[in-house]
Amino acid sequence: MREIRQARGMMQAELAGPGMSPAYLSRLESGNRPPTERALTYLCDKLGVPAEVFRQEYPDEAAQRLAVVLSGSVAEDADVVPLLLESLERPAEMDPAVRWQALWVLAEAYRTQGDGEQEEQTLRALIALGAEIGNPRLEVRARVQLARYLQACGRNREALDAAGRAHAVTAERAMPQLDAARALLVLVSLEADAGRLAEAAAHTDEFLALMAELPAGLRVEALWTASTVRVRQKRHAEAVLLLEQAMSELTCTSGDLTLWLRLRLAASWLYLQMAPRNLGGAERRLREAGPAVELLGSAKYQREFLALCSYLAFYRGGGAHPGS
């Protein structure tokens, strides 16, 4: 654990979190205390490694190459793909769990480079390897990522199949809530896009029941997704409450300014769609969003912001939107 943490340039305090104090981490790293299953799950999620990595007694050459990759930046290091491919040349000599991790980082590298064909091929290899290892968590994580990739490509039917299978595995194997929530999130999004609102609503209720156990970032995503489903159901009052809760979870100091802005633009649009329209709520959120739009300098968000301001001004004038 210490080697992986240090390879990522992390201090113990950065790895700490709810129920995981620096003192407890120190005892784990020194071998004075074995980790609980919950602690192991937490560490795997924070460090981005499968649990099997911690069971390796001696890092082999491939593991050392992987450590080099993980200590750098996939987005900036041009040598990542060749280094990983070299490590994967002799699968028989490589621990399956380390091979899985190498493939996972390779898929990320392909995604960063925009090589969709290789990313998809690698994700499918990850699914097969996860099943071969017999670790359902690895299989589910690869299926969820494949579903996200296919959704981004507009291949929603295939994406729905991948997400549905991931969700089924989490239910069959009584997996940790974090994996169940990730599978549910992408499944709900795809079901809503496909017009399967009854199923999307049922699965929304399912992941909202997991909210208390999720990290803040995933809670925000879950609340926003749930809000979107409620909008599709024309349950705008509930959608607003969910979106407001998402915004309360993510402050402007949380580090993700883009997400902070997108939530406020989404809330502004939602307030303008309500019956009756909540013009005060839309104006308040747009006022908050303005400085972030300027700071980010994104033409996309500037256009969206100006469009929402125009709608607000139009409705303030007492007219009705032509499409309403």
Side-chain angles (χ1 to χ4, degrees), residues 162-216:
R165 182 55 190 155
H167 174 248
V169 172
T170 64
E172 292 165 5
R173 304 298 291 270
M175 290 176 58
Q177 293 179 338
L178 189 61
D179 291 291
R182 284 172 174 156
L184 280 166
L185 273 172
V186 67
L187 180 60
V188 166
S189 173
L190 287 160
E191 288 173 336
D193 286 345
R196 295 162 59 169
L197 293 183
E199 293 160 279
H203 286 136
T204 294
D205 293 339
E206 191 176 334
F207 73 60
L208 286 178
L210 306 175
M211 287 287 294
E213 301 296 325
L214 301 182

Side-chain angles (χ1 to χ4, degrees), residues 131-170:
E132 179 185 326
I133 293 173
N135 188 320
R137 295 190 73 188
L138 299 182
E139 181 186 349
V140 164
R141 291 186 180 194
R143 286 189 184 278
V144 167
Q145 195 59 46
L146 177 63
R148 290 185 182 279
Y149 165 79
L150 293 169
Q151 183 180 27
C153 294
R155 295 157 62 183
N156 284 11
R157 180 171 295 184
E158 294 174 76
L160 195 55
D161 288 341
R165 182 55 190 155
H167 174 248
V169 172
T170 64

